[in-house]
Amino acid sequence: MAAPASPAPPSARFAALDAWRGVCALAVVLFHLNAGTHGHRWLNNGYVAVDFFFVLSGFVIASAYQGRINALAEAARYAVRRVGRLFPLHLAVLGVYLLLEIHRGLDHPGLGFTGTRTWPAFWLDVFLLQGFGAQQLSWNEPAWSISVELWSNMALALLALATRRALPWVCAFIAGLLAWALISPPPLPLSQAQVDHLASAVTCMMDFSLGVAAFGLHQFARRRGWSPHGALEWPALGLALVVFAFAPALPNLSTSLAFGLIVSLFAFETGPVSRALRRPVPQALGTTSYSIYLTHSLYTLATFNLIKQAGLALHQPWLLDSEGRDLLILGGPWAMDAAALACLAVVITSSRLTYRWIEDPARLAINRWSNRIGRRAA
């Protein structure tokens, strides 16, 4: 057996994990489009990519800030950086939805700011507070998970101040508590819809805590000079495909544990799959993954409306109810393959632009401001 390749140095950016983030962002796009493509069986469970995002986010943020949040000034600097990472693009996309809703209200008096896009829901979205309540799926629906991400990030800063280098093990304990709460939920004075939304948020927080714990195990292995053989990436890739294909049939919480294992393995970057993920195209997708995730609902909505109009004009069936979701079927699988690829192309191209002109400049500007805060505190 060949000797395993040397793992990436501890200070390196986790390039393979960045690429995984891009792959998962595309999976979410195709899940929300829900077109009857040849790959629909695999893409119909794309919602589990959100679990992957949170495990990966906990891992990467722990790697960047473990041991670096030891005082209130450092926690404040971290918090400002996280706000700068998440808010600018979120507010820009929310602004687009606001303009669309104003246009709808002008075109159809009485319909504007109704349903899920009300003014109270708008203000919850502005401050990323929607992820924990009944109005979770409002305005830009995918942003609910960004809400949970933000407040998980803020909680991590407080935990880091309190626990220092014990942070990964404390997060492992918290992940266990949240898992227990999901398996045996306490009675709550909430409607079933509110309980379901709260369970989604708790699952994401559990995934995030699991990612932080996985980084602790990663550090433990590195300190002892252990790294997995690169060939193990193939069964890890197979495990990811199994999770995406059969997620509804898998035991509760097994998806999160599987993603924790996959993230931990690919963080070593010792195998052929990691080498492929470090190539320019996967890396570009990873770089723009946040833009892809946060803006894609605009384009899946536009694609849905275009297919609807084409189906009505051609007097052809274009929509089917499939397990409680609208499945686009106009023209059959080959036509839906083409529509899905066109939608992906638009999402990826536009995301490059939003990353270049909104996301990255805003992040860098706010990071510079946070550096000044750090110098004043010093």
Side-chain angles (χ1 to χ4, degrees):
M1 181 181 292
S6 299
S11 61
R13 181 174 65 90
F14 294 102
L17 296 185
D18 273 357
W20 268 111
R21 199 192 309 267
V23 171
C24 287
L26 295 184
V28 172
V29 175
L30 293 172
F31 168 72
H32 284 148
L33 180 63
N34 201 33
T37 63
H38 284 94
H40 182 257
R41 159 70 181 277
W42 300 87
L43 302 171
N44 194 41
N45 301 323
Y47 62 88
V48 299
V50 175
D51 291 297
F52 199 116
F53 278 132
F54 274 87
V55 174
L56 194 153
S57 179
F59 188 100
V60 171
I61 289 178
S63 75
Y65 288 97
Q66 168 81 354
R68 292 178 57 193
I69 303 178
N70 300 305
L72 284 174
E74 292 166 339
R77 182 169 177 265
Y78 159 84
V80 168
R81 282 176 168 252
R82 295 314 298 161
V83 167
R85 179 72 180 91
L86 299 176
F87 262 94
L89 184 61
H90 160 64
L91 293 177
V93 177
L94 188 59
V96 174
Y97 270 105
L98 178 60
L99 293 176
L100 290 174
E101 197 63 19
I102 291 171
H103 181 268
R104 184 170 79 129
L106 293 174
D107 268 6
H108 306 282
L111 291 182
F113 300 96
T114 59
T116 60
R117 295 180 189 159
T118 62
W119 277 115
F122 176 80
W123 292 111
L124 287 175
D125 278 43
V126 165
F127 296 104
L128 284 176
L129 296 170
Q130 77 274 29
F132 302 90
Q135 300 191 71
Q136 190 181 75
L137 300 178
S138 61
W139 292 87
N140 184 18
E141 291 187 5
W144 76 267
S145 65
I146 306 305
S147 166
V148 180
E149 167 86 5
L150 173 70
W151 299 109
S152 296
N153 290 174
M154 298 302 109
L156 183 71
L158 298 177
L159 281 173
L161 280 175
T163 63
R164 306 296 173 90
R165 294 195 176 277
L167 177 65
W169 319 122
V170 173
C171 283
F173 177 72
I174 291 172
L177 286 180
L178 294 175
W180 176 79
L182 289 166
I183 294 171
S184 302
L188 297 171
L190 301 173
S191 68
Q192 187 57 50
Q194 290 172 316
V195 170
D196 291 342
H197 290 148
L198 184 59
S200 298
V202 171
T203 300
C204 291
M205 291 188 293
M206 180 196 68
D207 292 333
F208 184 84
S209 301
L210 184 63
V212 177
F215 176 71
L217 291 175
H218 179 80
Q219 278 189 313
F220 181 84
R222 279 192 178 280
R223 284 195 294 265
R224 281 151 183 77
W226 183 85
S227 63
H229 196 288
L232 290 175
E233 289 187 350
W234 290 115
L237 178 61
L239 177 60
L241 293 175
V242 167
V243 170
F244 272 88
F246 302 105
L250 296 177
N252 289 340
L253 309 181
S254 60
T255 296
S256 300
L257 293 174
F259 286 151
L261 176 62
I262 293 166
V263 167
S264 299
L265 184 69
F266 277 96
F268 287 96
E269 300 186 355
T270 55
V273 182
S274 286
R275 286 195 293 274
L277 291 172
R278 291 198 297 267
R279 296 184 69 84
V281 171
Q283 287 299 292
L285 289 175
T287 298
T288 57
S289 60
Y290 183 58
S291 278
I292 291 172
Y293 182 80
L294 206 54
T295 66
H296 78 268
S297 62
L298 292 167
Y299 305 107
T300 54
L301 178 62
T303 304
F304 180 93
N305 287 328
L306 286 172
I307 290 174
K308 175 183 177 180
Q309 294 304 318
L312 294 175
L314 296 170
H315 305 288
Q316 294 293 321
W318 62 277
L319 193 66
L320 181 70
D321 181 88
S322 175
E323 300 176 359
R325 299 180 66 218
D326 291 335
L327 178 67
L328 297 171
I329 58 170
L330 179 65
W334 288 109
M336 291 299 94
D337 288 346
L341 288 173
C343 182
L344 284 180
V346 172
V347 169
I348 292 169
T349 302
S350 68
S351 295
R352 296 285 292 178
L353 297 175
T354 54
Y355 176 81
R356 179 176 178 180
W357 297 108
I358 301 174
E359 182 186 342
D360 199 41
R363 177 184 63 85
L364 293 174
I366 293 173
N367 281 358
R368 286 193 294 270
W369 187 73
S370 75
N371 289 336
R372 293 204 305 271
I373 293 173
R375 286 197 295 271
R376 287 200 298 268

